[in-house]
Amino acid sequence: MSGRFSSVRAKASLGATAVVAVALVAAGVAVLLSLRVNLTGQAERAADRAAREVALDIAAQAPDRTPYAKLELPDAEDSPVLVTDEDGRLLTLSEGLQRISGSGVPAVDTARSAPDPSGTARTGGSGTDRSGSSGSSEDDDDSDDDGGDDHGGGKGGDDDPAVGEIDDTTEYSDGSATVEGTAGDYRFATVEATDRTGRTVVVHAGASLADRRSAVNTTAAAMLLGLPVLLLVVGGVTWLVTRRALRPVEGIRSEMAAITASEDLSRRVPEPATRDEVARLARTTNETLTALEAAVERQRRFVADASHELRSPIASLRTQLEVGHAHPGLLDVPGAVADTVRLQQLAGDLLMLARLDAGERPGRTRTDLGALVREEVSQRATDRFPVAVRAREGFDVVGSRGQLARVLGNLLDNAQRHAAGSVETSVRRVGAWVVLAVADDGAGVPEAERERIFERFVRLDDARSRDDGGAGLGLAIARDVAERHCGTLTVGRAPSGGALFELRLPAVTGPGEAGAQVL
């Protein structure tokens, strides 16, 4: 089971479905709350409108002792109305209203008590009993003794509306009511009014919440039924889209597996025609395979060339030793020594290339290139032609002194092999570069071959007829070292007609600093 959900496709589908589910649930809750608040507001406005209509009728009554039971009240099914005095004594209620209760509404059960249909409003008092009948004269006297305060409960006192007015504020509460045997939830609005006799009453009018409950329940049911279907659609679409998007990745993976199994680096992974990340991945993979193929091919060629170069001096040395063993007088000691030196130089060159290929970093020693040239030339006692030096001190570079000396030595050896009669070296400053130049008066290097001669084991035997056995590694080593020092090594035509090799290295721009970082 865990393997099924470990793929990117499964994770993307599950993640998208989960995100959509959370968003839909949050949106659904917000919609339901908004719908509930909106419908509750509508019920409050309906209840407030009914309560104020009744309160206006009460406030507008003429002071003729009109019974409250004769008030025209709205239909109880639409808006149940309950009228009480400030003490909560029932005065009248809508026809058909059997029971009412709530947090802000006095509890009434008409099966136990009913309003007195003869209850009337009297000036100067509120002396109705619980049945709604008129109070006695003693009650009137008591009321007068109380300083004319007609209201024993509710807001009372200075908070009551003026005679013939209704209160500007409305209080809302939730409750329930039973109308003609059917119970339901209602939103009640409570408004106070003072009739023309000075009596303050409280009007409670309700508006049914059945529409709110029905709308909210219907919407919630629709959401609950539609949510799984929508999530299934989202998950399925995400699964299909992800599978199509990742299909090229699977092609790349399978082709790479086949390349690894066959060890055929000439094969390439398929590249999609799109310009998305997968296409860039395929192109990068093919570029990596191309570089890897070139590196492996270069390594194979290097091994083959090294074996060929080593075979000749080893075979020559073995032949001389065998002849010397059979005929001691015929042993060519100088030839054997020359072959041994050649083997030693070839082994040194191979070791140097191995270190460069391994990424060996040159040192960061500050070196005076002019002084280095003078020192190295002064130690070359076996050159065919004297080397003319035009270099002064003060041209500093940063790098490995030994590797730079190796480059200079390789360039001078190459010039000595191919010069007709003179070799010249110079050091100068060109902008941010220090340029070391080595020139000879030989046949020069054909323009078409000026890059190939820096490849390993390449010798232009036809053009450089005086080549006396170089392995073709000196110039390759020199360029690799130059690039490791963030420099360049190029060949051109010297004024004398021969080859002109120029090594460019970053000049030191400050105490202990160079213009470029040594790799």
Side-chain angles (χ1 to χ4, degrees):
M1 180 64 69
S2 61
R4 294 182 179 180
F5 297 101
S6 61
S7 65
V8 175
R9 181 169 52 188
K11 291 178 181 178
S13 301
L14 292 177
T17 304
V19 170
V20 172
V22 172
L24 289 179
V25 169
V29 171
V31 169
L32 292 178
L33 292 177
S34 177
L35 180 63
R36 182 185 177 90
V37 170
N38 185 44
L39 293 178
T40 301
Q42 293 182 7
E44 287 180 350
R45 289 189 291 273
D48 179 70
R49 182 169 55 252
R52 289 189 175 276
E53 289 178 355
V54 174
L56 287 173
D57 289 343
I58 294 175
Q61 285 189 96
D64 56 356
R65 298 173 178 261
T66 300
Y68 282 95
K70 294 183 179 181
L71 287 173
E72 293 184 2
L73 301 179
D75 188 0
E77 293 183 356
D78 298 331
S79 182
V81 176
L82 175 70
V83 181
T84 66
D85 63 9
E86 290 187 296
D87 294 328
R89 290 189 290 268
L90 178 62
L91 299 179
T92 186
L93 74 168
S94 297
E95 182 179 359
L97 179 60
Q98 300 171 340
R99 184 178 294 106
I100 188 171
S101 63
S103 58
V105 183
V108 173
D109 189 348
T110 58
R112 297 180 180 180
S113 61
D116 186 356
S118 63
T120 59
R122 296 181 56 189
T123 303
S126 57
T128 57
D129 59 16
R130 294 183 182 274
S131 64
S133 60
S134 301
S136 63
S137 60
E138 294 179 357
D139 295 333
D140 296 339
D141 295 339
D142 293 339
S143 298
D144 294 338
D145 293 340
D146 291 337
D149 187 359
D150 301 328
H151 318 294
K155 293 182 179 181
D158 297 336
D159 293 336
D160 294 337
V163 175
E165 300 290 339
I166 65 174
D167 199 349
D168 292 333
T169 60
T170 305
E171 296 181 358
Y172 299 99
S173 61
D174 290 327
S176 61
T178 302
V179 179
E180 296 182 353
T182 302
D185 295 328
Y186 288 82
R187 185 69 171 173
F188 287 96
T190 302
V191 179
E192 290 186 349
T194 302
D195 59 19
R196 295 298 181 88
T197 65
R199 186 180 192 182
T200 300
V201 298
V202 182
V203 180
H204 306 277
S208 177
L209 295 178
D211 292 340
R212 185 190 73 176
R213 182 175 61 254
S214 176
V216 171
N217 291 341
T218 301
T219 305
M223 289 181 177
L224 291 177
L225 292 176
L227 181 62
V229 176
L230 184 58
L231 293 180
L232 183 61
V233 171
V234 170
V237 171
T238 305
W239 177 274
L240 295 176
V241 172
T242 308
R243 182 179 66 176
R244 182 172 182 178
L246 294 179
R247 186 177 300 163
V249 177
E250 177 60 24
I252 294 173
R253 186 208 62 79
S254 60
E255 184 63 23
M256 287 297 295
I259 292 174
T260 302
S262 64
E263 297 183 357
D264 183 7
L265 296 179
S266 63
R267 299 174 60 174
R268 297 293 181 267
V269 300
E271 294 186 12
T274 59
R275 296 182 179 181
D276 55 9
E277 292 81 357
V278 177
R280 291 196 293 270
L281 173 63
R283 286 191 290 271
T284 303
T285 303
N286 284 335
E287 291 172 359
T288 302
L289 289 174
T290 300
L292 183 60
E293 181 185 15
V296 171
E297 182 62 27
R298 185 168 57 251
Q299 188 70 18
R300 290 174 179 172
R301 188 169 61 250
F302 175 78
V303 172
D305 292 339
S307 300
H308 176 75
E309 293 295 333
L310 288 172
R311 182 175 59 184
S312 298
I314 291 176
S316 175
L317 182 60
R318 177 181 177 180
T319 301
Q320 295 180 39
L321 292 177
E322 289 177 349
V323 171
H325 181 267
H327 308 281
L330 299 179
L331 178 61
D332 184 7
V333 176
V337 172
D339 289 338
T340 304
V341 171
R342 183 181 177 189
L343 280 175
Q344 183 181 9
Q345 292 176 346
L346 182 57
D349 290 342
L350 294 176
L351 180 60
M352 184 66 178
L353 287 174
R355 289 176 177 176
L356 293 175
D357 290 342
E360 179 181 299
R361 294 178 178 272
R364 294 190 55 81
T365 304
R366 183 166 180 165
T367 303
D368 187 335
L369 200 56
L372 176 65
V373 169
R374 291 183 177 277
E375 179 181 348
E376 292 295 322
V377 171
S378 65
Q379 297 175 4
R380 298 177 65 89
T382 59
D383 285 343
R384 294 172 53 229
F385 308 107
V387 179
V389 178
R390 292 191 298 107
R392 60 180 178 83
E393 298 180 1
F395 298 108
D396 293 344
V397 295
V398 172
S400 170
R401 182 181 179 86
Q403 292 184 6
L404 294 177
R406 181 68 176 270
V407 172
L408 176 60
N410 289 352
L411 295 179
L412 291 176
D413 290 343
N414 181 77
Q416 289 290 338
R417 284 195 298 269
H418 305 297
S422 66
V423 176
E424 179 181 313
T425 181
S426 63
V427 179
R428 68 185 188 278
R429 176 75 177 264
V430 179
W433 302 90
V434 175
V435 180
L436 168 63
V438 176
D440 62 62
D441 60 350
V445 180
E447 186 173 356
E449 304 290 344
R450 289 178 181 175
E451 282 299 319
R452 197 171 74 89
I453 62 173
F454 292 106
E455 297 177 7
R456 298 176 181 183
F457 299 104
V458 171
R459 290 174 295 184
L460 306 180
D461 292 335
D462 295 338
R464 318 284 285 197
S465 58
R466 277 195 271 268
D467 195 334
D468 58 358
L473 294 177
L475 295 179
I477 293 175
R479 171 164 279 188
D480 285 348
V481 171
E483 292 176 350
R484 293 287 178 180
H485 285 74
C486 296
T488 61
L489 178 61
T490 58
V491 60
R493 182 175 180 83
S496 59
L500 173 63
F501 289 87
E502 289 188 338
L503 171 65
R504 292 175 176 263
L505 298 175
V508 172
T509 57
E513 295 185 7
Q517 182 180 1
V518 178
L519 298 178

